[in-house]
Each structure stands twice: as structure tokens, then as C-alpha cells.
Amino acid sequence: MNTYHLLHGIAMNVWIYSLLVLWTVLGLFLSPFQTAYLRLRHHWPVDRAVRHLIWLYGRGWLLLISPFVSFSREGVTASELPERCVFVINHLSFFDTYFMAALPHSDVTFAVRSWPFKMFWYRLFMRLANYLEVEDLSWQQTTERGKDILKNGGSVLFFPEGHRSRDGKIQRFYSGAFQLAVAAQCPVVPLCITGTDVLLPPGRKWLRPCRVKLQILAPVAVDDYQYEGGHLALKKKVKADMVDALEAMTVMQAAKVEVVSC
């Protein structure tokens, strides 16, 4: 690593970590007033208002990292997204969740494992947002709460791999997201993200400049999967679509890097 890249990396880490702390503290201070405003202005329940605040917090994150991270969103537009759906996304980095602020809708409930709830500065907001702690809930409880969210016009987002990939490739999928989609008769919208494993892969604290791309794939209807075991065929279909899309994204990204280096 030459001196320029070393200094650039130090500047990036000081900038992002420092401003992330300040942005988080500011959000903690303003959140009661913002929640009250949203409840009075839009008559939203507390969980809906807090989900919107988390989405705004993520939007601020996208601006905060923009000097060092090139981000783009492609694929299905806001007008083409179902009003309510089950999102599924591949998982590469702790910061994958932050980039979900690029989704055009803010009413998205995350279904996540228990460890994010252990971060005290986020725990209260995750509880207020009615996030699903899938390791703490039975599958019946997860399904019922998920169906209620979808029934009320919101969406649910799953990381079907259950953990971050160590090699950048999609791992085995769990079935929960697809069981919920079939049970609630809501489409599945696959999301593919690349680049966050360069930004911050598992096991590293040092941020690196990168290009991050989020691609929203076409919704997959569940009408043809309404039979016993249909969710397994749906899972196979969605995973295949995501593998193909990620391979194409990786090839395109490599081609862009080669052009730049030339």
C-alpha cells in the first residue's frame, strides 16, 4: 500500500466513523420529536413512524459515505414495486442493512438474528420498529407477525442466508421468507448487493473505498406456489435468479475496473 492509499484510507475511516457517531447521537436526540411529528402529521402508529426514521437515518448514511463510496441502485423502479412484499437479499457485510435506505419505500420491517439487538444504541429503535428477532421467536410467531405487517401495507425484509458470506458467494438459503410469502400470498422481491464485502467484510474493522451496487430484481409472484412444499420451489427459483444476477453484476463491475485501470 503506497502513501496515498494509506492516507486516503485513514481519512475515510476518520471521516465515516466520526460522522456516523455524530449522526447517531443527533438521531437519538431528535427521534422523540420526529416520531411525535409523524404521528400527528400522518397518524402513523409508533412502529411505522420509527421505521421511517430508520430509513431517514440510512439516507443520511448514504450521504455521509459518498466521498469514498460510489453507490448506485438499478432495476425495478418505485412505481413497479408491489405495495407490500417480502424482500430477500444476499448478505456480505454489517453495513448491508444501512444501504437498504436506498429502497424507495420506508415501511420495511427487518427480520434479523439476535446479535443486532445487542447493540444498545440501536436496540430500542429496533424494538419500537417491531423488527422480527427470528432467533427469539417461534416460526408461528414470526409468521403471524409478518402476516400482520404485510396486511397493514408494509413489507418484510429477510437475509435468507442467515449470516454474512465469507467468500462473496450466495450460501444456503433458509425457508422462512418464502414460507411467509406463500402464506401471506405476497410476492417476493429479490435484492442483490455487491461491493459491501470490499467496504467492510466479516472480521475487519478498517473501511475501504469501493463501489456498491444494489439491484432490485423483478417481483416473483407466489400464485404458482400455493401447494404443500411450494415454498421450497419458490426458494429455489428466487435463489437461481439472484445467483444469475450477481454473476452478471460481478462481471460488469470487473469490466468497469479494467477499463478504468487502462
Side-chain angles (χ1 to χ4, degrees):
M1 180 183 293
N2 60 37
T3 303
Y4 170 79
H5 287 100
L6 177 61
L7 293 176
H8 191 258
I10 293 173
M12 176 184 183
N13 282 265
V14 171
W15 171 273
I16 291 180
Y17 281 129
S18 298
L19 289 186
L20 181 59
V21 170
L22 292 175
W23 181 235
T24 301
V25 171
L26 180 63
L28 290 171
F29 175 75
L30 294 177
S31 59
F33 308 101
Q34 294 171 312
T35 302
Y37 170 79
L38 291 171
R39 285 179 53 77
L40 292 171
R41 177 69 176 81
H42 299 289
H43 306 289
W44 287 345
V46 171
D47 59 344
R48 172 69 180 92
V50 174
R51 288 195 290 272
H52 187 73
L53 294 184
I54 292 172
W55 181 77
L56 291 176
Y57 174 83
R59 289 272 170 160
W61 153 261
L62 293 177
L63 289 174
L64 185 155
I65 66 169
S66 59
F68 301 94
V69 177
S70 172
F71 174 76
S72 62
R73 190 192 79 193
E74 299 179 352
V76 172
T77 63
S79 61
E80 296 170 326
L81 275 178
E83 183 176 340
R84 59 195 187 101
C85 64
V86 175
F87 290 108
V88 293
I89 183 171
N90 62 304
H91 200 7
L92 299 173
S93 170
F94 166 77
F95 283 119
D96 289 340
T97 55
Y98 290 67
F99 286 97
M100 294 307 94
L103 292 174
H105 300 159
S106 66
D107 193 6
V108 179
T109 299
F110 287 67
V112 295
R113 301 178 70 179
S114 296
W115 70 266
F117 286 88
K118 296 177 182 179
M119 294 183 289
F120 68 89
W121 56 95
Y122 289 148
R123 183 190 305 132
L124 175 62
F125 294 91
M126 296 174 71
R127 297 291 186 196
L128 290 174
N130 203 24
Y131 279 12
L132 304 179
E133 189 176 357
V134 294
E135 289 182 311
D136 192 50
L137 299 172
S138 68
W139 171 240
Q140 182 178 1
Q141 290 174 310
T142 300
T143 302
E144 291 306 313
R145 286 180 57 180
K147 288 170 70 174
D148 286 342
I149 292 165
L150 294 163
K151 181 180 179 180
N152 290 325
S155 296
V156 184
L157 185 145
F158 285 83
F159 295 91
E161 295 166 281
H163 54 82
R164 293 166 290 176
S165 173
R166 298 283 173 169
D167 60 6
K169 297 180 180 179
I170 285 187
Q171 310 299 302
R172 180 176 68 90
F173 274 11
Y174 289 93
S175 299
F178 309 97
Q179 288 179 286
L180 174 60
V182 171
Q185 298 185 12
C186 285
V188 175
V189 176
L191 306 172
C192 294
I193 194 166
T194 59
T196 54
D197 53 336
V198 177
L199 175 66
L200 189 71
R204 199 183 73 204
K205 305 295 185 184
W206 183 264
L207 301 171
R208 289 177 54 191
C210 64
R211 296 175 181 269
V212 175
K213 179 183 291 185
L214 176 68
Q215 185 167 347
I216 306 175
L217 305 187
V220 179
V222 299
D223 299 353
D224 294 336
Y225 300 94
Q226 298 293 326
Y227 56 87
E228 186 175 355
H231 68 281
L232 298 176
L234 176 62
K235 177 177 70 172
K236 184 177 180 180
K237 154 71 174 170
V238 171
K239 183 177 180 180
D241 288 350
M242 293 176 67
V243 168
D244 289 345
L246 284 165
E247 287 179 353
M249 292 166 71
T250 301
V251 169
M252 185 176 297
Q253 183 65 28
K256 287 182 178 179
V257 171
E258 185 176 348
V259 169
V260 171
S261 63
C262 291

